[in-house]
């Protein structure tokens, strides 16, 4: 079990091998502050160490995913010194990095509004499934600010061209536009959102646990590397290692013998 003492963060286990980490402050549209950021950082650190957890679903209670930064927190930040602001921003940057680097598969489950830093949360997840009523906004420049700490992840998710537009215009864009630029990979009606996420979880759980983690690591390790002799050697070494591993051998034997692999809980 994952320890969490922040009432604005709800932890549940909807399926075996799946943890749901849910923002739980619907009265404030799940806006987050420094205390919630600290709690999320702690939870992500714990999850990273739990081999029994294979998928993390990041969700939110109520009508909206998140309005981004809490207004009271922003008012406090306005009075911070530059050094205090840097420390405060580093806490958010660290939380986002922990989520982005989780060894487990991560799915953002989005309904309603996802504004400001919430777009960063969605971008840090491996996948994002959103309802038809979802909308997004990178609103920082309206306040004379910039989406700095979330920018590495949003740029990776949406691409530089889209970010040039939405970082500067701060316009609100709908889920169809989010899908077109790659921020969201599946759209469904609000009533089907839970089932869509559950189906995605089942797809992941049907695969080799170690293989899924190593496949995610491939993306994180190679997305910015030039394809050269070093990369050729590295990728060849990785597949060779996996082929002779216990899981790789089990997967191949199960395939050739037309039987379920031993990591499948429901053997037919």
């Amino acid at each position: 079990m994952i320890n969490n003492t922040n009432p604005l963060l709800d932890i549940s286990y909807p399926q075996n091998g799946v943890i749901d980490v849910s923002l739980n402050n619907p009265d404030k549209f799940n806006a987050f502050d420094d205390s919630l950021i600290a709690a999320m950082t702690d939870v992500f650190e714990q999850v990273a160490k739990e081999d029994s957890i294979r998928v993390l679903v990041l969700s939110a209670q109520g009508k909206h995913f998140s309005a981004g930064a809490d207004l009271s927190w922003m008012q406090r930040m306005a009075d911070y010194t530059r050094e205090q602001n840097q420390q405060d921003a580093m806490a958010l940057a660290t939380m986002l990095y922990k989520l982005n680097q989780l060894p487990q598969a991560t799915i953002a489950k989005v309904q309603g509004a996802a504004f400001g830093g919430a777009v960063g949360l969605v971008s840090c997840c491996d996948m994002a499934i959103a309802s038809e009523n979802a909308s997004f906004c990178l609103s920082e420049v309206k306040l004379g600010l910039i989406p700095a700490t979330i920018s590495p992840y949003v740029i990776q998710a949406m691409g530089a061209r889209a970010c040039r537009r939405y970082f500067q215009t701060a316009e609100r864009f709908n889920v169809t536009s989010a899908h077109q630029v790659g921020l969201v990979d599946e759209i469904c009606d609000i009533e089907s959102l839970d089932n869509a996420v559950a189906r995605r979880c089942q797809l992941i759980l049907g695969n080799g646990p170690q293989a899924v983690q190593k496949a995610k690591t491939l993306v994180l390790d190679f997305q910015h590397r030039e394809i050269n002799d070093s990369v050729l050697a590295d990728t060849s070494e990785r597949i060779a290692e996996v082929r002779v591993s216990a899981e790789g051998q089990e997967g191949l034997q199960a395939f050739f013998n037309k039987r379920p692999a031993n990591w499948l809980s429901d053997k037919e």
Side-chain angles (χ1 to χ4, degrees), residues 233-251:
D234 193 350
T235 53
S236 299
E237 175 62 28
R238 293 192 196 202
I239 185 58
E241 180 182 351
V242 168
R243 283 175 181 169
V244 299
S245 70
E247 183 175 286
Q249 288 291 302
E250 168 61 18

Side-chain angles (χ1 to χ4, degrees), residues 69-80:
D70 180 78
L71 293 179
S72 298
W73 179 39
M74 292 177 67
Q75 287 176 336
R76 282 190 281 119
M77 285 189 290
D79 295 326
Y80 284 179

Side-chain angles (χ1 to χ4, degrees), residues 32-141:
F32 50 82
D33 61 7
D34 49 354
S35 65
L36 186 55
I37 288 170
M40 294 174 72
T41 302
D42 182 55
V43 166
F44 295 152
E45 288 176 346
Q46 293 181 65
V47 169
K49 300 174 183 177
E50 288 290 334
D51 293 336
S52 62
I53 298 174
R54 297 188 53 198
V55 183
L56 180 143
V57 177
L58 184 64
S59 66
Q61 304 297 313
K63 295 182 178 180
H64 299 286
F65 182 76
S66 175
D70 180 78
L71 293 179
S72 298
W73 179 39
M74 292 177 67
Q75 287 176 336
R76 282 190 281 119
M77 285 189 290
D79 295 326
Y80 284 179
T81 65
R82 178 171 179 171
E83 290 73 24
Q84 288 173 318
N85 266 290
Q86 187 169 5
Q87 292 175 0
D88 190 78
M90 190 63 185
L92 174 58
T94 300
M95 182 270 284
L96 294 168
Y97 181 78
K98 297 287 186 182
L99 173 58
N100 189 70
Q101 298 296 124
L102 274 178
Q104 292 88 350
T106 53
I107 304 172
K109 174 185 167 186
V110 185
Q111 79 282 357
F115 288 179
V119 180
L121 291 174
V122 175
S123 299
C124 287
C125 291
D126 302 325
M127 304 157 232
I129 301 175
S131 63
E132 292 174 332
N133 74 336
S135 62
F136 305 83
C137 183
L138 291 148
S139 53
E140 287 81 357
V141 292

